[in-house]
Amino acid sequence: MSLEDLYREVIIDHYRSPRNRQPLLEPDASAEGVNPLCGDEVTVEVQRDEAGALSAISVRGQGCSISQSSASMMSDLVKGKSRAEIDDIVSKFKTMMDIEGDGADFIDPEHPGSVLGDLEALYGVRKFPVRIKCANLPWATLVEALDKTG
Ligand code: ZN
């Protein structure tokens, strides 16, 4: 299977079976993001433990496969992490998606998923700049929700 086929399957899997959709009973904060260009909507709820780590996250929404799979992959990757670790993941993801650079620093073709997990599957979206907004929507929404928790 080519890397491209593998990535396509990962995106479809997250789109069809999104992770962490269950609403939180007592979220510390939430945020809603909209990408009017594509009609994507994402709601992110977060809960942080006493040490500040993201103990629970809920991500729900509707829209294209890129926005919704990005949201699902993100929720898997950031759960349980500290704010500093999450900021690091956000920054790596942004760098991967930045078409000004080559973004390939986080891709090891011999070991797919070794740095950014399933998120690497979104690397190919760089070829379609209008869709990058779709991929970034859940991330901007997550940061907004986390910022509200202080
Ligand atoms: Zn979209």
Side-chain angles (χ1 to χ4, degrees):
M1 190 190 290
S2 74
L3 200 55
E4 212 158 286
D5 287 340
L6 174 71
Y7 283 166
R8 194 174 301 120
E9 285 201 359
V10 169
I11 289 172
I12 290 170
D13 178 56
H14 276 274
Y15 181 56
R16 290 195 180 142
S17 315
R19 325 298 200 253
N20 305 299
R21 276 184 78 92
Q22 190 70 23
L24 303 187
L25 292 177
E26 294 180 29
D28 292 322
S30 67
E32 283 172 35
V34 178
N35 172 17
L37 284 176
C38 183
D40 304 316
E41 295 171 21
V42 175
T43 299
V44 176
E45 293 173 347
V46 295
Q47 200 173 336
R48 299 176 79 181
D49 63 19
E50 283 164 15
L54 183 62
S55 51
I57 178 168
S58 165
V59 184
R60 305 184 297 282
Q62 52 188 3
C64 70
S65 60
I66 302 300
S67 65
Q68 303 306 308
S69 67
S70 180
S72 173
M73 295 174 195
M74 176 187 81
S75 70
D76 256 356
L77 203 63
V78 300
K79 198 160 66 170
K81 301 272 200 309
S82 71
R83 180 66 201 258
E85 289 169 323
I86 293 171
D87 285 345
D88 182 55
I89 294 169
V90 170
S91 144
K92 283 180 175 148
F93 181 68
K94 277 188 183 160
T95 305
M96 182 179 86
M97 300 306 287
D98 181 4
I99 51 174
E100 302 286 313
D102 80 0
D105 288 0
F106 306 113
I107 308 288
D108 177 356
E110 299 296 316
H111 304 95
S114 55
V115 181
L116 279 172
D118 286 353
L119 281 172
E120 282 181 21
L122 294 172
Y123 180 68
V125 172
R126 292 160 48 97
K127 282 186 267 181
F128 313 97
V130 71
R131 309 303 297 281
I132 294 175
K133 282 194 165 45
C134 305
N136 284 338
L137 176 68
W139 296 83
T141 312
L142 169 69
V143 169
E144 193 186 327
L146 284 174
D147 283 348
K148 289 183 191 171
T149 67

